[in-house]
Amino acid sequence: MSGSNFWVIGGEFGSMNFHKLVHGSAQVQGPFRTRKEAEDAWRVVSEENRHRGSVRFSIVEEPLRESA
């Protein structure tokens, strides 16, 4: 099998340097089969939190492993 899974990950960070998440604030959405689906989910969660400057979300690509 080839392709990738996509995930939307993020949450509230303790400072504006975005190095460490606030405990208990982590959010993970997915897997999504296409980047477009992940981008759509990212837009929704980003818009919901846009008034909170210390919240950030990213899209992460996970390559699928080939079966042996």
Side-chain angles (χ1 to χ4, degrees), residues 43-63:
R43 279 187 189 90
V44 169
V45 74
S46 294
E47 182 64 27
E48 288 172 351
N49 290 283
R50 102 180 145 136
H51 66 284
R52 300 170 65 203
S54 62
V55 175
R56 176 182 278 183
F57 293 92
S58 299
I59 297 172
V60 177
E61 181 177 1
E62 171 195 17

Side-chain angles (χ1 to χ4, degrees), residues 31-44:
F32 300 99
R33 299 295 297 159
T34 67
R35 182 166 185 91
K36 169 83 168 79
E37 291 174 317
E39 287 173 355
D40 292 344
W42 173 85
R43 279 187 189 90
V44 169

